[in-house]
Amino acid sequence: MKKAMNWLKNIRPLKVLTVFLAGIFLFMAQACGAPGIATQPPQPGAQAPNTERYDPTKDYPLSSPAGGMNNFSDVDPRARDEKAANDRADALAKNAQRNIEQKSVDSPEQYGRNYKQGTPLGERVKNLGEDIGSSAEEVRKGVVKGTQRGIENIKGNTQNAAEDVTKNVQRGAEDAGDAVKRTVRDID
């Protein structure tokens, strides 16, 4: 109890008043120092009370309708390679057209018409057989070509492996000779 009484006697009223005033000063400086925080955000130019307010969302450019899904382009407008995508689509369309022409059909409509009008079954089977025959021939050529390429790769790999083995044996022999020489030197 004596310690508490001595502590209270050592507290001076001037120190307490100084700390209290410093706290109030800090509180008032924070509360009243920046009047712009609680005000309305700045609007571009002076506006009359009945005019339309500034809308920052209208500053973003919008995509214009281009005919894709929902009448907009199917490519992300932020992407810079829309031309590349369009070029690829054109190339695919040309490839499809070339395939149609190679199969001796003048147009997709004619192919559909021939099928609907009932091209004789024998003729359809003959055409199908020719397509399968040409496809099988293409597959055979691809397999032969791939097999030849694989055999050439195997030959090259075995030659490289043989060369690597001989080099490794030579290096091993040299390293062993060096180790023997060091051991002999260490013994002397």
Side-chain angles (χ1 to χ4, degrees):
M1 189 71 176
K2 287 183 181 180
K3 288 183 181 179
M5 292 304 275
N6 284 336
W7 183 75
L8 285 175
K9 287 180 185 177
N10 286 338
I11 295 178
R12 296 190 182 145
L14 186 59
K15 288 182 180 178
V16 172
L17 182 63
T18 304
V19 169
F20 179 73
L21 289 177
I24 289 180
F25 174 74
L26 287 175
F27 177 74
M28 295 301 285
Q30 289 294 321
C32 303
I37 291 175
T39 62
Q40 177 89 14
Q43 301 292 322
Q47 294 181 348
N50 293 334
T51 60
E52 188 174 324
R53 297 188 69 171
Y54 170 70
D55 186 6
T57 59
K58 291 184 180 178
D59 288 342
Y60 299 114
L62 300 176
S63 299
S64 59
M69 182 177 197
N70 299 326
N71 284 331
F72 288 97
S73 173
D74 292 334
V75 181
D76 186 1
R78 295 171 290 185
R80 294 187 176 133
D81 54 10
E82 186 171 357
K83 183 180 181 319
N86 289 336
D87 291 344
R88 175 132 170 85
D90 291 339
L92 290 173
K94 288 177 184 176
N95 187 25
Q97 186 63 36
R98 202 174 27 238
N99 287 341
I100 289 172
E101 291 168 0
Q102 286 178 353
K103 301 294 181 186
S104 72
V105 175
D106 293 335
S107 67
E109 292 81 17
Q110 181 186 4
Y111 182 78
R113 199 174 334 115
N114 287 345
Y115 187 75
K116 286 181 184 176
Q117 288 178 354
T119 303
L121 181 63
E123 194 174 321
R124 278 192 279 171
V125 170
K126 178 183 165 193
N127 292 339
L128 184 61
E130 290 173 0
D131 288 345
I132 291 173
S134 65
S135 296
E137 181 63 24
E138 290 173 11
V139 168
R140 185 193 66 79
K141 287 179 182 177
V143 168
V144 168
K145 193 181 220 181
T147 304
Q148 289 173 348
R149 192 178 313 135
I151 291 171
E152 290 171 5
N153 286 341
I154 289 173
K155 285 180 185 177
N157 290 342
T158 53
Q159 288 174 352
N160 291 340
E163 291 173 3
D164 289 344
V165 167
T166 57
K167 287 180 184 177
N168 288 338
V169 168
Q170 288 174 351
R171 285 186 198 142
E174 290 172 2
D175 290 345
D178 291 343
V180 169
K181 288 178 185 176
R182 276 185 268 149
T183 306
V184 170
R185 235 186 279 141
D186 291 342
I187 292 174
D188 290 339

